[in-house]
């Protein structure tokens, strides 16, 4: 009996020594530069937010943080990179929540949105704005609806991608106002905005970060925003909710994402550093300058619950217009 106890004791000792040796063999995190993938073209809002985040992480961790633009396929290319390289906790993704709630409905994707991706922390909250060509003879939504109904062939409107919220918002507006709206899809905001300014399309539902500079410059005009409250940078522009269309109040948000199976302690560290950095007054001011609100402190579980609800709403809208994934 004594010999068995002795053998058991030595077994525990050997296990502890092996565990300690394994821990010593593991390099301290981060062991190499951190990559922040951006699922959109360089220069856009996701890119700007990723660079803000990189500044904070690099300062706090003392390691290089590299921002890599991975545009294409509505963010799917960036997701693929994350899923291939994100298990060790050195690769993360900066993108809108629509990568889970919208993209899988609009495009045929190979990932499982509610299983393969995890939002760690919000970076900002934002919405869409209905903008018009500066020469369109309307200044508010009431005038726009009257003008649109008078057009026998209906009104064209642009969006940054077919099947996404910029598309379904226009179709929903048409349904709610009984105004004929015809969608013209573009590959991103810049070409759509260029055609809007050129008079090739009269209207567009676009993200505030890309439209805001053009609105301020007087190159296009804002009709209404789909955010629940007025935007600080556009205080004179009403919300669809206050104009009587609460169905169009569909705010979104940007976040930093990881693979769910990345090391839990790394996920928690990235979340803590992100929230701390984006709660700084100077950072929040820079976020507001882009036409977005400061981030909240919602948990991953709360963010995913919000996305499940948004996913259901978007699915219903796409079904109502008989949209088929591309």
């Amino acid at each position: 009996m004594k010999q068995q106890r002795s053998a058991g004791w030595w077994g525990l000792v050997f296990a502890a020594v092996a565990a300690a040796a394994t821990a010593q063999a593991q390099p301290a995190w981060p062991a190499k530069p951190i990559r922040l993938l951006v699922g959109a073209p360089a220069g856009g809002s996701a890119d700007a937010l990723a660079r803000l985040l990189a500044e904070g992480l690099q300062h706090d961790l003392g390691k290089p943080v590299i921002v890599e633009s991975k545009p294409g396929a509505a963010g799917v290319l960036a997701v693929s990179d994350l899923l291939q390289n994100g298990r060790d906790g050195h690769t993360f993704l900066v993108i809108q929540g629509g990568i889970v709630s919208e993209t899988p409905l609009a495009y045929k994707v190979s990932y499982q949105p509610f299983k393969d991706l995890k939002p760690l922390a919000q970076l900002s909250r934002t919405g869409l704005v209905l903008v018009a060509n500066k020469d369109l003879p309307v200044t508010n939504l009431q005038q726009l609806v009257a003008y649109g109904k008078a057009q026998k062939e209906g009104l064209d409107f642009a969006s940054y991608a077919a099947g996404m919220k910029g598309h379904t918002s226009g179709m929903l507006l048409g349904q709610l106002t009984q105004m004929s709206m015809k969608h013209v899809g573009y590959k991103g905001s810049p070409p759509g905005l260029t055609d809007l300014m050129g008079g090739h399309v009269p209207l567009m539902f676009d993200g505030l970060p890309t439209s805001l500079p053009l609105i301020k410059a007087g190159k296009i005009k804002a009709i209404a925003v789909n955010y629940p409250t007025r935007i600080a940078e556009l205080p004179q522009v009403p919300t669809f909710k206050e104009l009587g269309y609460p169905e169009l109040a569909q705010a979104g948000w940007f976040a930093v994402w990881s693979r769910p199976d990345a090391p839990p302690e790394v996920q928690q560290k990235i979340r803590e550093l992100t929230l701390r950095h984006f709660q700084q007054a100077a950072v929040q001011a820079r976020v507001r300058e882009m036409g977005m609100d400061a981030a909240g402190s919602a948990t991953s579980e709360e963010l995913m619950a919000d996305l499940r609800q948004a996913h259901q709403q978007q699915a219903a809208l796409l079904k109502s217009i008989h949209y088929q994934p591309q």
Side-chain angles (χ1 to χ4, degrees), residues 233-290:
E233 294 293 311
L234 295 173
Q236 76 284 5
V237 179
T239 68
F240 280 105
K241 183 177 181 180
E242 65 186 278
L243 292 174
Y245 301 99
E247 302 90 341
L248 282 162
Q250 303 171 351
W253 41 264
F254 285 88
V256 56
W257 305 68
S258 77
R259 283 181 55 135
D261 58 356
E265 65 277 10
V266 172
Q267 294 183 38
Q268 183 61 27
K269 188 67 173 179
I270 290 292
R271 173 177 166 78
E272 290 174 356
L273 294 179
T274 298
L275 291 179
R276 186 170 73 186
H277 185 58
F278 275 80
Q279 286 169 359
Q280 295 179 13
V283 174
Q284 291 186 357
R286 291 171 68 178
V287 170
R288 285 193 295 270
E289 288 172 0
M290 291 187 272

Side-chain angles (χ1 to χ4, degrees), residues 7 12 38 81 101 121 155 194 196 216 256 259 268 309 311:
L12 292 174
V38 178
D81 193 323
S101 61
L155 275 180
T194 297
L196 180 71
K216 289 186 172 181
V256 56
R259 283 181 55 135
Q268 183 61 27
Q309 183 178 6
H311 184 271

Side-chain angles (χ1 to χ4, degrees), residues 147-155 180 182:
Y147 175 81
K149 288 183 175 180
Q151 309 306 306
K152 293 182 179 180
E153 297 183 358
L155 275 180
S180 177
K182 297 181 179 179

